[in-house]
Amino acid sequence: MAMACRDVVICGEPLLRKKARPVREFDQTVQDLFDDMVETLIAEVGLGLAAPQIGESLQALVVRADAEPEEPIYKLLNPRLEFGKELVEIREGCLSLPTLRGDVVRPAEVRVQGLTPEGERITVEATDMLARALQHEYDHLRGVLFTDRVEPGSLVWMVPDEDEEDGFRYDRTTMREAQEAFDRLRQRRRGGD
């Protein structure tokens, strides 16, 4: 089966709030799922993607430390995390909540045990952005979004702005306003507008 870039599920879809099922069989279906996840991750220029974000309620995730093409992509099934003690606050975003950002406190280091797509045991020790991406995607497998962990008052939209040095500005928002915007986006995607 050829790889396919899939649509990313947008905040408000019930699947994003469900706990994903463990993967028990390591067959071509799992290989195809990972191929699609990697292609989608690259196309969306993301750091991580969990299977529920492309409509599959399975404990599968892909992550990388940077969106550069040469950056290795980790593929993990049924991950279990051990967290370090030091906490770091960083502004996060999510492909399922496009252009929304917020400050989230997470451990700076994690140790992840899981399985490869072939069913072999793997351990990944991570710091910095890779650790954050692993935690963020692991949350998706448990039905948790970064907005559940966001620091109060820190939610912002990333808005293109040619006058800004980075090419965008941040406009404050609330979760209610954001959810209304995502509801409209989902409606437009379904052709109901």
Side-chain angles (χ1 to χ4, degrees):
M1 181 178 178
M3 290 192 302
C5 186
R6 304 240 205 133
D7 288 336
V8 175
V9 175
I10 299 299
C11 179
E13 290 291 341
L15 181 64
L16 290 177
R17 291 304 193 169
K18 291 177 70 174
K19 187 172 181 181
R21 298 184 320 274
V23 175
R24 302 283 185 227
E25 295 183 29
F26 308 94
D27 55 13
Q28 189 60 47
T29 303
V30 170
Q31 298 294 332
D32 292 343
L33 172 65
F34 274 109
D35 288 346
D36 291 355
M37 290 174 70
V38 167
E39 183 156 322
T40 304
L41 178 70
I42 291 168
E44 295 288 337
V45 195
L47 294 182
L49 188 68
Q53 291 181 273
I54 60 165
E56 303 289 342
S57 184
L58 295 170
Q59 291 185 20
L61 61 83
V62 293
V63 295
R64 56 188 175 172
D66 193 294
E68 295 298 318
E70 66 277 357
E71 188 68 32
I73 296 175
Y74 295 90
K75 303 172 186 176
L76 292 165
L77 292 167
N78 308 335
R80 297 293 170 259
L81 274 63
E82 297 173 25
F83 303 99
K85 292 185 181 1
E86 181 188 352
L87 300 176
V88 179
E89 181 178 306
I90 296 179
R91 184 165 279 171
E92 277 187 34
C94 180
L95 296 177
S96 290
L97 295 91
T99 73
L100 188 67
R101 302 290 184 267
D103 299 339
V104 178
V105 176
R106 293 189 189 270
E109 299 178 6
V110 294
R111 183 172 192 247
V112 183
Q113 295 182 347
L115 300 170
T116 67
E118 297 76 31
E120 297 170 9
R121 292 190 188 283
I122 185 173
T123 299
V124 178
E125 295 190 8
T127 60
D128 303 321
M129 288 309 290
L130 182 58
R132 183 159 293 264
L134 283 162
Q135 293 172 75
H136 180 107
E137 300 312 326
Y138 177 74
D139 275 353
H140 275 298
L141 303 182
R142 296 168 47 236
V144 175
L145 300 177
F146 87 89
T147 51
D148 299 329
R149 299 185 182 281
V150 76
E151 291 295 299
S154 72
L155 278 181
V156 293
W157 292 113
M158 225 172 106
V159 180
D161 188 334
E162 293 177 9
D163 294 334
E164 294 295 325
E165 185 177 325
D166 294 333
F168 57 85
R169 69 177 190 277
Y170 292 111
D171 290 351
R172 292 218 172 271
T173 190
T174 65
M175 192 57 220
R176 181 178 176 185
E177 291 169 343
Q179 189 59 64
E180 289 170 358
F182 294 133
D183 291 346
R184 289 191 299 273
L185 175 58
R186 286 194 336 276
Q187 185 90 14
R188 280 196 306 274
R189 278 190 172 184
R190 290 185 183 129
D193 211 59

